[in-house]
Amino acid sequence: MIFGRSERGKPLVEPVTLKILVAGGFGVGKTTLVGAVSEIRPLRTEELLTEAGRPVDDTSGVEGKHTTTVAMDFGRITLREDLVLYLFGTPGQERFWFMWDELSEGALGAVVLADTRRLEDCFAAVDYFERRSIPFLVGVNCFEGSDRYPAEDIRRALDLDPDVPVVLCDARDRGSVKEVLIGVVQHAMTSAAAHRQAVTT
């Protein structure tokens, strides 16, 4: 942290900035989540779905979706005066997964957004973060009209480790998304502390 003084003599604190990824399947609500909570106008790289992409873009269950993220979404949120999160939403389709390695560089943790109507679509993201030992939380986006399941049922369906948090959320609601992000930060810090303890013992 960098400390200084403002013109009025009050101490200035340079906030700690942390990078959080938002991943998940196609049409699960990643762009919506970033937009709901970002305090700046989010950077979006959305393009219209085309006939050429129809064979590789599975829109079953999200037939009303007409755009897709082709690079990333970017947003920012200040959780506290001394803590700022940079949010990077990853593209959902398999043909854009090559970008995940670059986006995950230096990430503190990740949100894997899930839709119970297409739960299998988040398996790739879960596997990605497990293999790279990046702490993650599963946020179940509760779409209107979709079936609701207890968090523990979703944990079993995704075969998650007991320490991976699973929370129900609404990607459209700023308060709900903020709680998800706080959960990711807390989980990442707990994981880091456990790792340090394991190394020193």
Side-chain angles (χ1 to χ4, degrees), residues 96-112:
F96 296 124
W97 286 355
F98 68 92
M99 300 188 62
W100 286 30
D101 286 341
E102 187 133 350
L103 289 174
S104 65
E105 189 71 30
L108 173 75
V111 176
V112 174

Side-chain angles (χ1 to χ4, degrees), residues 4 19-20 28 60 89 92 115 137 160 177 196:
K19 181 179 183 180
I20 301 292
V28 78
S60 56
D115 177 354
L137 169 153
L160 298 173
V177 173
R196 284 195 299 270

